[in-house]
Amino acid sequence: MDPDQIDPASEGRVLSPDDGDYLRFERTLAHPPAEVWQALTHPDRTAAWAYRTEFEPREGGAVTMSSGGDGEVLAWDEPHALEYAWEGYGGRWHVRIAIADSHHGTLLTFDHVAPDPNNPDFAAGWHWHLDRLEQHLAGEEPAQVDSDAHFEELQRLYTHAEG
């Protein structure tokens, strides 16, 4: 993946159903659902593309993040659905992830529910992390950095889209 090329199909968009706004990303990944699930839930794998995250694999289980956040698993349906929330930078974070078979591998639906799904920095951050997830799944090792030129470009993209 060329980090200088931003595929419009991979961009997040805010949806506004009756129960509140959320930021949605949809990605088609060329890997089977079980492989995607492992990349999303195994601590060593999550550390490669985001933050080391440990899950107690059940609804109501604990979530512990290397970034200092602690929370709870809200849904655990291996390898189809994962939902969790944690206290972290900016308040209570909440994400929902759905994994479905696709003709090309896996359809990943990633929803950022809170905090503020309209914040362009959160959109840029999740977009960047999902790009890094794709690199990890492709066998690449994303650089262990908090930011890079690709992230800065995503920040410009989402900030401009908002304005």
Side-chain angles (χ1 to χ4, degrees):
M1 170 181 21
D2 181 351
D4 296 326
Q5 297 294 325
I6 299 173
D7 177 5
S10 67
E11 290 179 24
R13 64 190 186 285
V14 174
L15 302 177
S16 300
D18 291 340
D19 60 345
D21 293 354
Y22 59 91
L23 172 65
R24 172 163 285 177
F25 293 88
E26 292 178 325
R27 302 281 179 104
T28 300
L29 306 172
H31 304 278
E35 175 69 12
V36 173
W37 180 266
Q38 284 299 310
L40 292 169
T41 61
H42 189 279
D44 292 338
R45 307 269 318 258
T46 61
W49 60 273
Y51 300 100
R52 182 178 182 81
T53 306
E54 295 188 39
F55 295 96
E56 186 178 353
R58 64 176 179 82
E59 185 174 327
V63 175
T64 305
M65 305 180 93
S66 65
S67 61
D70 291 315
E72 178 183 12
V73 175
L74 303 173
W76 184 279
D77 180 15
E78 184 175 347
H80 307 289
L82 173 64
E83 183 173 358
Y84 59 103
W86 70 98
E87 294 298 323
Y89 171 79
R92 181 174 166 84
W93 290 71
H94 180 181
V95 297
R96 287 186 303 244
I97 303 168
I99 298 171
D101 281 313
S102 136
H103 294 294
H104 305 289
T106 298
L107 175 61
L108 174 74
T109 303
F110 183 99
D111 293 340
H112 168 90
V113 180
D116 189 6
N118 293 289
N119 185 321
D121 287 337
F122 297 156
W126 284 123
H127 188 135
W128 185 68
H129 283 298
L130 292 171
D131 286 351
R132 292 166 56 82
L133 170 64
E134 288 189 56
Q135 289 176 316
H136 171 71
L137 286 165
E140 299 172 29
E141 191 169 321
Q144 294 299 301
V145 295
D146 292 330
S147 180
D148 60 16
H150 180 55
F151 178 71
E152 291 170 8
E153 179 61 28
L154 289 166
Q155 283 186 305
R156 286 189 290 277
L157 170 79
Y158 285 101
T159 299
H160 179 72
E162 181 185 58

